[in-house]
Every structure is written in structure tokens, then in C-alpha cells.
Amino acid sequence: MALRNHSTITGFILTGLSDNPQTEALLFVLFLGIYILTMMGNLTMLLVIGADSHLHTPMYFFLSNLSFLDLCFSSVTVPKLLKDLLSEKKTISVEGCLTQVFFVFSTAGTEAFLLSMMAYDRYAAICHPLLYGQKMSNELCVKLVLVSWGLASLNSVVIVLLAVNLDFCDAQTIHHYTCELPSLFPLSCSDISINIDILICSTLLHGLGTFLPIFFSYTRIVSTLLSISSTTGRSKAFNTCSSHLIAVILFFGSGLVRYLMPTSGSSLDLLASLQYSAVTPMLNPLIYSLKNQEVKAAVKRTLRKCLHYFGS
């Protein structure tokens, strides 16, 4: 097996969120509700954006990709979490662990790139409205999304190779509810200092590489908004950015806490992981629909079409 050790390890034991059966039953109901809302919310966004021609713009093209990513991201960890909450013994195979590590990084990495592109899209729309069509052509948007998936997947391969080359002794218990690289490191009986350095460098490069364009885009956006004399115009422009800003804070805040802070198996580690892998995918469609008049109007139009179709 690729994961080398002194005794052959075929799987790991996850400690999960709790060892109390009553607490686990309540958590199962809670996370089942979160997962159902995540599926319904993001599938609705995909349906509405695809069905309504008014939303066939670069901003909503990126938003539909964000909804698809949130469906994938949540499905990487939550179904396994739900299964473990009903199981007395929470185990995961070595292959399943590495697969989970890969897809966590690839979906999260792609989402970081996508949030960065959405910030640039808002910058182009607000700061250069007359050139918006040229700057954000359909061809460019598709290429940006494909490049995001490619770079995130490449980064995920590097991350998985860090886990593949770990040496394990007899420790098999992962103090977490899912298989993430920071939780695997404490189980290794070999020198992991280089692995940790590579993980931190990868996280910083990926994080800064996606966050800095967001920062500079919003610096220009704020500068442009301050130059708008009309309060109504300024408020309308800001409303198009507020949903994205909330999504950025939720995603980057919890992600950086999880991968840059020392791993301790504490409640903070668990909460940070739950935030970006379960809660944020559920909140994103709510954030973008509740604060966006265009999405609200599109939902109403789509509902009317469905009612008319089934009523005729």
C-alpha cells in the first residue's frame, strides 16, 4: 500500500463529532436538514439560472458554477458524516481517506478561484461598465472556470502525494469527523516537518493567489463607489457586491483557520471544517437569493412557468 507503516494499515477510525448516542441522534437530524437544504437551495439556483434568459450573464454563469461546486463540496463529507452518526464504529479505508482528501482540496480550491473571478467580474461591471462585455466575454468565462478546475486538481494531487508518502506506526484514530490532511499528520511516526511546510506554503500560495485579486478588485470598487454622487446608484452597486463579500468572508475565514492554525483536534478545528464544508454550501444560495432582486424575480418567473406548465 502507498501509505507505508510498520504494520499494515488498511483503514482509520474517526472520532466523529460525539460519542454520546443521544447527541449523535440530534446531530444526525441537524446535518440531514442542512444537507437537504443545501441540495434544494443549490439545485434551485442551477434550475433558475439555467431556465431564465435574464440571468444568462457572466455573473450568474459564475454563480451557477458556485452552486454546482457547493453541491459537490457538501457531498464529499456530509453523507459520510451522516452515516457515521448512525454507526457505532466510524471507520474509513485508506483509499477512501485519500479520495476524500483529494476531493476536499479540489472542490475547495476551485471554489476559492471562483470567488476570485466573481470579484473581478464585479470590478469589471462597476469600474468599467462600457467595456464589461469585452472584458467578460462568454469564451473567457468558460476558460477561467476550466483553468480553475485544472489548477485546483493539480494542487490536490500534490496534497495527496504528501499523504501517500507518510509513514504510520500503530496509530489509526483520526481526531476528526472526516479525513483531512492536517488530521492525518499527527498519526505519522516519521518526520512530517517538510510535509507541514509544503502544506502551509500550498495553502498560502493558493489562499493569497485567490484572495489578493479579491482585495485589489474591491479596493478599486470602493474607490469607484465613493466617486458616485447618487446615493441610490451607490447603494445599488454595493448591493451587487454584498452577497459576494459575505460568501468570501465565510469561506476564506474558516478555511484559513483550519489549514494555517496548528492541528489540535479541538472544537475550533471541527467548527472550522463544518463551517466551510457543510454550513457555507447551505448558506450561499440563501445569501445570493435573499439579497438579489434579479434572482428573486427570476424565481418568481420560473415558478409561474412551472405552475402554468403543470396547470395546463
Side-chain angles (χ1 to χ4, degrees), residues 59 114-124 126-127 210-226 237-249 252 288:
M59 183 175 88
L114 197 59
L115 289 171
S116 183
M117 292 169 198
M118 293 171 77
Y120 178 76
D121 173 74
R122 292 299 81 209
Y123 156 75
I126 293 172
C127 301
T210 51
F211 183 76
L212 286 179
I214 296 174
F215 176 78
F216 288 121
S217 293
Y218 275 102
T219 300
R220 294 295 302 274
I221 288 171
V222 170
S223 176
T224 302
L225 291 179
L226 292 176
F238 178 76
N239 283 337
T240 64
C241 301
S242 57
S243 300
H244 179 258
L245 274 174
I246 294 171
V248 167
I249 292 169
F252 278 91
Y288 279 99

Side-chain angles (χ1 to χ4, degrees), residues 4-308:
R4 306 184 309 275
N5 53 6
H6 297 296
S7 60
T8 303
I9 288 180
T10 59
F12 299 101
I13 299 170
L14 301 166
T15 57
L17 298 178
S18 174
D19 55 3
N20 184 292
Q22 286 78 24
T23 303
E24 287 186 320
L26 292 173
L27 288 173
F28 175 82
V29 174
L30 172 64
F31 285 103
L32 178 62
I34 288 175
Y35 189 59
I36 291 173
L37 287 173
T38 300
M39 294 295 107
M40 290 177 59
N42 286 291
L43 285 172
T44 299
M45 290 295 288
L46 286 170
L47 173 64
V48 169
I49 293 172
D52 197 299
S53 58
H54 295 83
L55 301 184
H56 293 174
T57 63
M59 183 175 88
Y60 293 106
F61 172 74
F62 289 133
L63 185 53
S64 65
N65 277 275
L66 180 65
S67 293
F68 176 72
L69 269 171
D70 282 336
L71 285 173
C72 297
F73 198 4
S74 183
S75 297
V76 170
T77 56
V78 178
K80 171 63 175 168
L81 170 62
L82 291 173
K83 176 180 176 293
D84 286 344
L85 287 171
L86 297 178
S87 305
E88 184 176 344
K89 193 171 184 181
K90 307 167 180 62
T91 59
I92 187 169
S93 66
V94 171
E95 293 80 5
C97 183
L98 292 178
T99 300
Q100 203 168 55
V101 168
F102 175 82
F103 281 109
V104 164
F105 271 91
S106 60
T107 51
T110 305
E111 186 156 335
F113 277 119
L114 197 59
L115 289 171
S116 183
M117 292 169 198
M118 293 171 77
Y120 178 76
D121 173 74
R122 292 299 81 209
Y123 156 75
I126 293 172
C127 301
H128 302 283
L130 299 178
L131 299 175
Y132 179 68
Q134 297 177 26
K135 285 180 172 290
M136 300 302 297
S137 65
N138 291 336
E139 184 181 355
L140 176 63
C141 292
V142 171
K143 287 180 179 178
L144 287 174
V145 170
L146 292 176
V147 168
S148 297
W149 276 103
L151 290 176
S153 298
L154 181 62
N155 182 62
S156 300
V157 170
V158 173
I159 296 300
V160 168
L161 288 177
L162 295 181
V164 166
N165 291 319
L166 288 176
D167 287 325
F168 290 94
C169 299
D170 296 323
Q172 299 179 25
T173 302
I174 298 175
H175 295 283
H176 209 269
Y177 70 92
T178 188
C179 229
E180 292 188 357
L181 200 56
S183 300
L184 280 176
F185 282 157
L187 305 183
S188 176
C189 57
S190 56
D191 183 12
I192 59 170
S193 57
I194 295 178
N195 300 65
I196 292 176
D197 289 342
I198 292 174
L199 177 63
I200 291 175
C201 288
S202 173
T203 303
L204 285 173
L205 284 173
H206 200 113
L208 290 176
T210 51
F211 183 76
L212 286 179
I214 296 174
F215 176 78
F216 288 121
S217 293
Y218 275 102
T219 300
R220 294 295 302 274
I221 288 171
V222 170
S223 176
T224 302
L225 291 179
L226 292 176
S227 66
I228 298 176
S229 55
S230 168
T231 305
T232 305
R234 188 185 304 163
S235 176
K236 184 178 179 180
F238 178 76
N239 283 337
T240 64
C241 301
S242 57
S243 300
H244 179 258
L245 274 174
I246 294 171
V248 167
I249 292 169
L250 288 174
F251 181 79
F252 278 91
S254 55
L256 291 176
V257 166
R258 176 66 180 122
Y259 283 93
L260 292 183
M261 296 290 287
T263 300
S264 60
S266 65
S267 298
L268 181 62
D269 285 345
L270 294 175
L271 287 173
S273 292
L274 288 169
Q275 171 64 51
Y276 69 75
S277 66
V279 179
T280 298
M282 177 192 69
L283 292 179
N284 278 341
L286 294 174
I287 292 169
Y288 279 99
S289 59
L290 293 177
K291 296 182 68 64
N292 191 308
Q293 296 301 323
E294 288 182 325
V295 173
K296 288 181 182 179
V299 169
K300 291 177 182 177
R301 286 193 294 268
T302 304
L303 285 174
R304 280 198 296 267
K305 287 179 183 177
C306 291
L307 291 173
H308 177 74

